[in-house]
Structures are given as C-alpha cells and as structure tokens.
Amino acid sequence: MEEKTLSIIKPDGVRKNLIGEVIKRFEENGLIPVAMKMLHLTKKEAEGFYAVHKGKPFYDSLTTFMSSGPIVVMILKGENAIELNRKLMGATNPEEAEEGTIRRQYGDNIEQNIVHGSDAPETAETEIVYFFNSLEVCSRP
Ligand code: IDP
Ligand code: MG
C-alpha cells in the first residue's frame, strides 16, 4: 500500500553533514520526498512534536537536543513507506540497530540517533500536519 510518512534528520545528522547521505538512502530504496524544509525548532515546538513522550525521563533532554540546531523535515512517499523508513533507520538505540542501517552507522547514542520516522499511519498523519500544510506537499508519480 502506498503511504506517506514523516522523516526528520535530527540536529546531529545535520551537524554531521549527513543530509545528502540520508536522502540518498531514501531515494535509493523507493522513498520519494514530496515535501521538505529545514528549520530550527524552539524548545516549545520540540515539546509539542514529542508530546507523546511527555513524562518520560528522557523528555527534557530529548527536546533540548531536538531544539539544539537546524533539522530537515520531509514527507516521504512509497510502498509501505512507514515500515520501510523504520527499517532503513534501524532500532532506536544505534547499538541495537541492524548493521547497515542509518542509526547503526551514524548514531552516537539512544538519544542522538540521526533520524526520526513515524511509527504508524495515525502518527504519520499527526506528524505531517504538525509541520506541513497542504500547499507544501507536492504530487509526484
Ligand atoms: P523512535 O525514534 O525509534 O520511534 P521513540 O521511543 O519514539 O523511538 O523515542 C523518540 C526519541 O526519543 C528517540 O528517537 C530518541 O531520540 C529518544 N529516546 C528514546 N528512548 C530514549 C532513552 O531511553 N534515552 C534517551 N533518549 C531516548
Ligand atoms: Mg517514535
């Protein structure tokens, strides 16, 4: 089934100059960007995005990290885009991520793990509208 998912190259990915590398992985694996922008979240905006994790011990540190520098936010389109993106990213903890995945290859630790990807159709929808309005989403074959 064709799906859309939200992808973020986190501040560590941007600092490490991995924008091109990450997008290349997506394109090579059938995930096509249909919307894209670079922005620097405020702490409040990062807290809003990660509201689902509010109350967890890592929430404050995570949202400080996510607002520590520019990020690249994208909507990716493709067959089973949500699951495929999660597969290319690898497990949350880079040490536990499969060999060859983005997080395994480039992530420093369980927090600073280079990329975000939606985990289900409902969260993909919520996350997409958090960042993009309908005029910013392109139609691509
Ligand atoms: P996911 O990004 O693989 O979906 P989630 O459990 O949704 O993982 O957590 C969101 C983000 O919060 C992670 O990508 C990571 O940056 C951070 N995070 C998750 N668990 C921990 C933790 O135990 N310590 C520190 N940061 C964490
Ligand atoms: Mg998640």
Short mmCIF file of all heavy atoms in Angstrom, two decimals, residues 5 16 25 28 48 59 64 68 95-96 98 103 113-114 118 130 135-136:
data_model
loop_
_atom_site.label_atom_id
_atom_site.label_comp_id
_atom_site.label_asym_id
_atom_site.label_seq_id
_atom_site.Cartn_x
_atom_site.Cartn_y
_atom_site.Cartn_z
N THR A 5 4.96 9.13 5.09
CA THR A 5 5.50 9.11 6.45
C THR A 5 6.30 10.38 6.69
O THR A 5 6.77 11.00 5.74
CB THR A 5 6.36 7.84 6.68
OG1 THR A 5 6.68 7.74 8.08
CG2 THR A 5 7.65 7.86 5.88
N LYS A 16 26.53 16.63 11.38
CA LYS A 16 27.50 15.69 10.80
C LYS A 16 27.49 15.70 9.27
O LYS A 16 28.10 14.83 8.65
CB LYS A 16 27.19 14.27 11.30
CG LYS A 16 27.51 14.05 12.78
CD LYS A 16 27.21 12.61 13.17
CE LYS A 16 27.62 12.32 14.61
NZ LYS A 16 27.47 10.89 14.97
N ARG A 25 19.84 7.45 0.74
CA ARG A 25 19.32 6.14 1.17
C ARG A 25 17.84 6.02 0.87
O ARG A 25 17.37 4.98 0.42
CB ARG A 25 19.49 5.97 2.68
CG ARG A 25 20.87 6.05 3.17
CD ARG A 25 21.39 4.69 3.46
NE ARG A 25 22.77 4.87 3.90
CZ ARG A 25 23.29 4.25 4.91
NH1 ARG A 25 22.58 3.40 5.62
NH2 ARG A 25 24.55 4.45 5.23
N GLU A 28 17.26 5.79 -2.95
CA GLU A 28 17.72 4.50 -3.49
C GLU A 28 16.79 3.35 -3.11
O GLU A 28 16.81 2.30 -3.73
CB GLU A 28 19.13 4.19 -2.98
CG GLU A 28 20.20 4.96 -3.73
CD GLU A 28 21.59 4.70 -3.17
OE1 GLU A 28 21.72 4.08 -2.09
OE2 GLU A 28 22.56 5.14 -3.82
N GLY A 48 6.13 20.07 21.69
CA GLY A 48 4.85 19.80 21.04
C GLY A 48 4.95 18.58 20.14
O GLY A 48 4.07 17.69 20.15
N TYR A 59 12.46 13.02 28.29
CA TYR A 59 11.70 14.06 27.56
C TYR A 59 12.41 15.41 27.52
O TYR A 59 12.53 16.03 26.46
CB TYR A 59 10.31 14.21 28.20
CG TYR A 59 9.39 15.20 27.53
CD1 TYR A 59 8.91 15.00 26.24
CD2 TYR A 59 8.98 16.35 28.22
CE1 TYR A 59 8.04 15.91 25.65
CE2 TYR A 59 8.10 17.25 27.63
CZ TYR A 59 7.63 17.03 26.35
OH TYR A 59 6.78 17.93 25.77
N THR A 64 15.47 19.30 24.38
CA THR A 64 16.61 20.23 24.33
C THR A 64 17.49 19.88 23.14
O THR A 64 17.89 20.75 22.35
CB THR A 64 17.43 20.15 25.64
OG1 THR A 64 16.60 20.59 26.72
CG2 THR A 64 18.68 21.02 25.58
N SER A 68 18.36 21.99 19.46
CA SER A 68 19.75 22.46 19.58
C SER A 68 20.36 22.93 18.26
O SER A 68 21.48 23.45 18.23
CB SER A 68 20.63 21.35 20.16
OG SER A 68 20.77 20.29 19.22
N GLU A 95 23.24 1.00 19.05
CA GLU A 95 23.98 -0.22 19.40
C GLU A 95 23.16 -1.48 19.11
O GLU A 95 23.71 -2.56 18.92
CB GLU A 95 24.34 -0.22 20.88
CG GLU A 95 25.52 0.66 21.20
CD GLU A 95 25.80 0.73 22.70
OE1 GLU A 95 25.39 -0.20 23.43
OE2 GLU A 95 26.42 1.72 23.11
N GLU A 96 21.84 -1.33 19.10
CA GLU A 96 20.97 -2.48 18.86
C GLU A 96 20.45 -2.50 17.42
O GLU A 96 19.75 -3.43 17.02
CB GLU A 96 19.78 -2.45 19.82
CG GLU A 96 20.18 -2.78 21.24
CD GLU A 96 19.12 -2.37 22.27
OE1 GLU A 96 17.98 -2.07 21.87
OE2 GLU A 96 19.48 -2.34 23.46
N GLU A 98 20.34 -2.84 13.39
CA GLU A 98 20.96 -3.77 12.44
C GLU A 98 22.11 -3.10 11.68
O GLU A 98 22.05 -1.91 11.36
CB GLU A 98 19.92 -4.22 11.42
CG GLU A 98 19.39 -5.61 11.67
CD GLU A 98 18.41 -6.03 10.58
OE1 GLU A 98 18.88 -6.24 9.43
OE2 GLU A 98 17.22 -6.12 10.88
N ARG A 103 20.95 4.50 11.69
CA ARG A 103 21.28 4.72 13.11
C ARG A 103 22.52 3.92 13.53
O ARG A 103 23.36 4.42 14.28
CB ARG A 103 20.08 4.37 13.98
CG ARG A 103 18.99 5.47 13.91
CD ARG A 103 17.70 5.02 14.53
NE ARG A 103 16.82 6.14 14.85
CZ ARG A 103 15.58 5.99 15.32
NH1 ARG A 103 15.08 4.77 15.50
NH2 ARG A 103 14.85 7.05 15.60
N ASN A 113 20.36 9.93 17.56
CA ASN A 113 20.32 8.79 16.65
C ASN A 113 19.96 9.19 15.21
O ASN A 113 19.35 8.45 14.45
CB ASN A 113 19.39 7.70 17.19
CG ASN A 113 17.97 8.22 17.46
OD1 ASN A 113 17.66 9.37 17.11
ND2 ASN A 113 17.13 7.41 18.03
N ILE A 114 20.28 10.45 14.87
CA ILE A 114 20.30 10.94 13.48
C ILE A 114 18.94 11.18 12.81
O ILE A 114 18.77 12.19 12.12
CB ILE A 114 21.14 10.00 12.54
CG1 ILE A 114 22.53 9.72 13.13
CG2 ILE A 114 21.25 10.54 11.14
CD1 ILE A 114 23.49 10.91 13.13
N SER A 118 7.99 8.30 11.51
CA SER A 118 6.68 7.96 12.09
C SER A 118 6.58 6.45 12.30
O SER A 118 7.16 5.67 11.54
CB SER A 118 5.55 8.39 11.16
OG SER A 118 5.71 9.73 10.76
N TYR A 130 1.70 18.53 11.66
CA TYR A 130 2.45 19.38 12.62
C TYR A 130 3.41 20.29 11.86
O TYR A 130 3.66 21.42 12.26
CB TYR A 130 3.20 18.50 13.62
CG TYR A 130 3.74 19.27 14.81
CD1 TYR A 130 2.91 19.67 15.85
CD2 TYR A 130 5.09 19.62 14.90
CE1 TYR A 130 3.37 20.39 16.93
CE2 TYR A 130 5.58 20.33 15.99
CZ TYR A 130 4.72 20.72 17.01
OH TYR A 130 5.20 21.43 18.07
N LEU A 135 -0.56 22.97 0.89
CA LEU A 135 0.11 23.64 -0.23
C LEU A 135 1.59 23.27 -0.34
O LEU A 135 2.21 23.48 -1.36
CB LEU A 135 -0.01 25.17 -0.08
CG LEU A 135 -1.41 25.74 -0.12
CD1 LEU A 135 -1.38 27.25 0.16
CD2 LEU A 135 -2.05 25.47 -1.47
N GLU A 136 2.14 22.76 0.75
CA GLU A 136 3.57 22.44 0.77
C GLU A 136 3.86 20.99 0.37
O GLU A 136 5.01 20.56 0.37
CB GLU A 136 4.14 22.70 2.18
CG GLU A 136 4.06 24.16 2.58
CD GLU A 136 4.44 24.38 4.04
OE1 GLU A 136 3.87 23.71 4.92
OE2 GLU A 136 5.33 25.21 4.28
#
